[in-house]
Amino acid sequence: MNSLKDHWRPTERQLRQFGWLCLPFFPLLGWLWSGEAQIIAWLFGIGTGMATTGFLLPRALLPFYLGLLIVAYPLGLIVREIFLLLIFFGVFLPIGMVFRLMRRDALHRTFKKNRESYWEIKKKPEDAASYYRQW
């Protein structure tokens, strides 16, 4: 994961890319927000201006870039945590519950009173070619 401090001093290339991304993003934002043709046209003009400025004077976009960074970074943190929670509770938890119901113990963690030792002797490979057969 990139740290935030890497983005406080963007290169001119990053600012140019930011300017070009404003060209489709601003009209899309207007379409999602209201869908009115006049608002989309205004935002298309703003996006075109940002793209042109990014092409000619990329350092002029630095305040806009940093402003959006300040707004978007905390939102990204929140969305990331929600996404990870959804993956955990939607994928890993159900798989674990099914394995528990099936009494599957792939790591052999259960305690058995009648065993003297839990030591397992390692099986020797048949030949060197078996190192390449991992399945």
Side-chain angles (χ1 to χ4, degrees):
M1 182 175 108
N2 293 336
S3 67
L4 183 60
K5 66 181 177 181
D6 295 339
H7 297 289
W8 286 110
R9 293 190 189 116
T11 63
E12 287 193 1
R13 181 179 181 204
Q14 288 174 321
L15 291 171
R16 253 187 226 106
Q17 289 172 348
F18 172 71
W20 284 111
L21 283 174
C22 289
L23 185 60
F25 179 72
F26 277 104
L28 178 66
L29 184 66
W31 179 68
L32 291 173
W33 185 21
S34 70
E36 293 182 21
Q38 186 176 8
I39 292 176
I40 294 172
W42 274 100
L43 289 174
F44 179 75
I46 292 171
T48 304
M50 298 277 279
T52 306
T53 304
F55 182 70
L56 299 174
L57 300 166
R59 285 282 159 202
L61 292 179
L62 186 62
F64 300 106
Y65 177 85
L66 293 177
L68 283 176
L69 178 69
I70 290 170
V71 170
Y73 190 75
L75 292 174
L77 291 176
I78 293 169
V79 168
R80 181 184 70 194
E81 293 298 322
I82 291 172
F83 186 68
L84 288 173
L85 280 170
L86 288 175
I87 288 175
F88 178 78
F89 287 111
V91 176
F92 295 113
L93 184 70
I95 290 172
M97 298 287 282
V98 168
F99 285 170
R100 173 87 40 121
L101 289 173
M102 291 173 25
R103 297 191 185 275
R104 180 175 188 251
D105 187 20
L107 297 177
H108 307 292
R109 298 183 316 152
T110 57
F111 179 72
K112 296 178 183 172
K113 293 181 184 179
N114 58 355
R115 287 186 75 169
E116 286 184 29
S117 172
Y118 287 96
W119 186 267
E120 293 184 14
I121 298 174
K122 183 181 176 222
K123 298 174 188 168
K124 296 202 181 233
E126 299 147 10
D127 59 346
S130 68
Y131 293 136
Y132 296 107
R133 290 191 309 266
Q134 296 293 319
W135 55 89

